[in-house]
Amino acid sequence: MSAWQLITAGFLLHVAWMIAVFDIYFMTTILPLSTKHNSPIPPPAKRVVYIVADGLRADKMLMLQPDGSTPAPFIRSVCEEKGSWGVSWTGMPSATRPGHVAMTAGFFEDPTSVAKDISGGAIDFDTVFAETRYTWTWDTPKFLNKVADYHPERIFSEQFPSEQKYLAGIDPKDMDSWVFDEVKKFMDQAKTDEDLRKKLDQDKLLFFLHLGGIDHAGYIVRPQSPEYLQHVAFLDRGIRHTVEMFEELFNHDGKTAYLYTSDHGMNDWGAHGDGSPDEVQCPLLVWGAGIQKAAPETRLDMFKDTISQDWGLDKWYRRDIDQRKMAGLLASMIGVPFPQNAVMPVPDEFLDIPDESRAHVLYANLKQLLDNFVAVERDIYHGLLAFKFRAYGKVTTELIPSIKTDIEAFLASKQYQQAISVTREKIQLAVDGLRHYQHYNTQTLRFAVAMSMIGWFIVLVLHLLQAQMHWEDNAALSPLAQNTKNILLQCAAAFAVFQLIFLYSQTTKWTHVLQYMIPLPIWTAVIIKWYEIGDIKPILRQQKEMAGIFAAALITVVMMAYGLYYRGIISICMFGFVAWLFKGKANKLDQDLMVKWTACITVMILLVARPVGTRDLNYELVLFGAVLVVSTASILYWKIPDFTVKARRLKFLSSKFVIFQICVMVLSTFILYYTAYLSNLNIRTPLLNQATSWTIFVVSLVEPVFVNTDVQSRLIAVAFAMVSPYILLSIGWETLYYFFVLWSGYLLIEVERNLTKSQPIFLPRSSSAPPANRVSSKGGAAGAKQGLNGQSFVKHHKHTRSNDILIMEPTVTEWASLNFSPDEGGTEMQSKRVITTGDVRRQLFFFVFGVATLFGTGNVCSIASFDCQDVFCFISLQNPPKMGPLMVFKLIIPGITMGCFLRVVNMVTFTSIKNCSVILMLIINAFVFVNFLWLTDVGGWTLVGESVSHYVVTQCLGAFFCLQFGISYIFTSVKV
């Protein structure tokens, strides 16, 4: 198996494993149902006004300010006088479409709903909107567009103009002003439009107001800013005025209910998607017809948190709910059928209704849950082949008729308290049963993924062992061995066919089929590779000296996994590479080089150790980092006169290509500062700035391939080409950190070059006849021969414990004269030398600093660590399909550069790309496996959110580490 085949397989496996987490923990079965259920008793309200402030932080609206004031006096009065208050807890990911689906359909859609929201994915499930008699919406989410399109006769939707979703240059309040103004126009129209008035006089009406401006305000000014609180106050005034208009329109008939909440919160730098408390806590205010009024809090220590005390609301009764329960609450308020695929009980504690109405509402909710339960159970059970079916014993299809009969008997005899008690008990059993079937395949899927990870780890280890004993990976096999290998492959293929037939007969989802099938080829490869190697024990005994470094690598991997939770641990691991130089290596390195290395890593450690949530705008730091890089480039220009462009292809450019790159870096810095200046003045990014930024971005990606492929020229070209787009995407210390990434890469080359000069290169003795370029055991070290790229080295034989090792000592390892050209960059010695502890150390360094770079260049510890202000130079309208790739590209720029430096390190240490990639994939596979073991959907919202975020981030990191081999090859070796 070649290096590129292994790398490709590693990349595909990381993608498959990332998909697996959603199948294992966060997948809700959506099945069509034929019956709808609602209470036969008239509801307490004829209409409900449903207001969602997108991205509103609960604490910013409900907590008191230090001076005792509140930015939302009207909402505060609702908490204390008019209605019920609490916290609505969101699921993962905490984003717009998942939140709206949970609130209106009653379940958490799978995490791919984030992408569906961007693309306007189909709605194949029931919602509260679809059950009303009439619905009017003023909104922005694409999710609601689809719902309205499916029911044009009943749902009337007005959409905020997408061309006005500015990231800068417009007051975010304008988005909410548009909603309030459109509602006022609607009210005025209702006074003169008879057809509209007839619709409004009926019951089962819903008015949905989606206020998207506060979400944009969080992106731009951050939730901790005074401007954010001003926006909260603006919303409070707008909602109070809107409520007054609704009451006036319906003549204060007391039949209107109101619900005010948010779909998700956001962290301190304005991002969301993770499970931190600020992102999953949403305010919930309910008041009006049929709603419990504010009551004094009589429970002591009901909640483990201190939210009530922190917000000064501990005197008033608090009612928290799971966000999915809101769909049932909305349905019960106006008497419409419960959404068919809802999986949570109705929170009837919010309702101020008689026992008779409460009993019928709960019974209708139970029937809906039982219908859903029966459908999911049947979907899991598939007849003859389902011999391992595990039914949920507390509720079964056979017991459901008797459950309904008992409750209906209580209702018929007007024993409403007994009916309520029994119904609540059965509702909880139905909810538990739904969860049982939702996680029915969790253990088998988790086992399949774990086996594929373990199998892949063994495959990589076997490849390393084979590299230690063979010069050629694909050694010729005897006819018997080849036949045995063919039989193993045929058996694996037959088993795969049987497995596919079995899974197909069970109507298994294709993503589940993928996870169940992956272990088969991996473990087949393990068996075949093990068979090819033969007796593995002697080989393992010969590698005892590698045990220590691999143990250290495993400890480092576990520490880095903990470092995702505790940032200081990452700094400790980075400091280990500084301490390593002072223990046994000091005599091999210049004092000046050691001082530079220590200083560089120390600065990087300080930048990485910054606490989570520090992404404040600081363009002075961007300028400082840019000045350092430009100064370095200028020095290199004067010291390296032979850094030239291929003149035959680009004659119009100066032969001194560094001057061009310096000019582009200066231009990028000016554009960034000018854009930031305009943003502070609330002026949109000019089209010229955007066009210039995109031009620099494209030019920077392609300019390195026009530079000579000698290591010195191409490496400098790649390093400085990435600086310009990085400056345009920076908002703080990132550019400064990138400068030290460049310096650490250069110093790493120098450190490894100096160590290689004094360390032997081991080549294994083949069992076959010695190749022509090997030195016989009798030859001694008689002479020197030409080695890698014309460098000389001495070959001689030393006595070793196994007496089968040849040792080659390079005497010259200057790297400036090396060449990235595919024709010159690899030699027989590179592909055949034995792996040493130094190889593991180098890949471990790349892994540790690759993870650390996530925090040094953007503080990315989760999927909610992005900042929209990163892309202001490129985009002025909210456009996730364009914004996302730019933010991701910013993260991988340092990795691309480090990948190019790593290629040079491999060249000066005579390491093949295959050995390099296998060791790195071993390390990242162990890292991913640790985070997989820690993955959970049980416990607090923060614990679940962090575990999911860290798993996704580590899988993305693993996929990128595989990709970077190909990316760095393109950037270093492709010539135009």
Side-chain angles (χ1 to χ4, degrees), residues 346 348 357-366 420 423-424 427:
V346 58
D348 66 296
S357 297
R358 193 180 304 276
H360 281 284
V361 166
L362 290 173
Y363 183 48
N365 184 216
L366 173 62
I420 291 171
T423 305
R424 281 179 173 161
I427 283 176

Side-chain angles (χ1 to χ4, degrees), residues 89-106:
W89 297 87
T90 75
M92 280 287 295
S94 48
T96 297
R97 170 154 169 158
H100 281 84
V101 170
M103 292 186 294
T104 61

Side-chain angles (χ1 to χ4, degrees), residues 55 57 214-224 228 264-273 278-279 613 615-616 864-869:
R57 281 261 296 252
I214 192 70
D215 194 39
H216 281 248
Y219 295 153
I220 298 172
V221 299
R222 315 297 172 91
Q224 302 293 357
Y228 189 89
H264 57 80
M266 59 176 54
N267 54 33
D268 287 343
W269 61 80
H272 55 86
D278 291 332
E279 294 169 76
R615 283 180 59 79
D616 298 328
S865 302
F866 299 98
D867 196 315
C868 289
Q869 301 218 34

Side-chain angles (χ1 to χ4, degrees), residues 682-699:
N682 202 26
I683 300 174
R684 289 182 60 190
T685 305
L687 183 59
L688 179 61
N689 282 30
Q690 297 180 52
T692 307
S693 298
W694 281 106
T695 302
I696 292 173
F697 179 84
V698 174
V699 170

Side-chain angles (χ1 to χ4, degrees), residues 422-457:
V422 173
T423 305
R424 281 179 173 161
E425 177 187 348
K426 301 305 180 184
I427 283 176
Q428 188 57 51
L429 291 177
V431 170
D432 292 342
L434 283 169
R435 179 174 176 82
H436 167 77
Y437 288 123
Q438 180 181 346
H439 294 269
Y440 186 82
N441 294 313
T442 293
Q443 295 304 321
T444 55
L445 283 170
R446 188 176 175 88
F447 178 76
V449 173
M451 290 304 295
S452 63
M453 288 183 177
I454 295 172
W456 181 241
F457 189 90

Side-chain angles (χ1 to χ4, degrees), residues 514-527:
L514 177 66
Q515 303 305 330
Y516 289 138
M517 293 296 296
I518 286 176
L520 180 59
I522 292 178
W523 281 95
T524 301
V526 169
I527 296 172

Side-chain angles (χ1 to χ4, degrees), residues 26 90-94 98 108-109 111 273-275 280 863 941 944-945 948-949:
F26 305 100
T90 75
M92 280 287 295
S94 48
F108 287 140
E109 198 175 11
D274 202 354
V280 299
I863 57 178
W941 295 100
V944 174
V948 176
S949 279

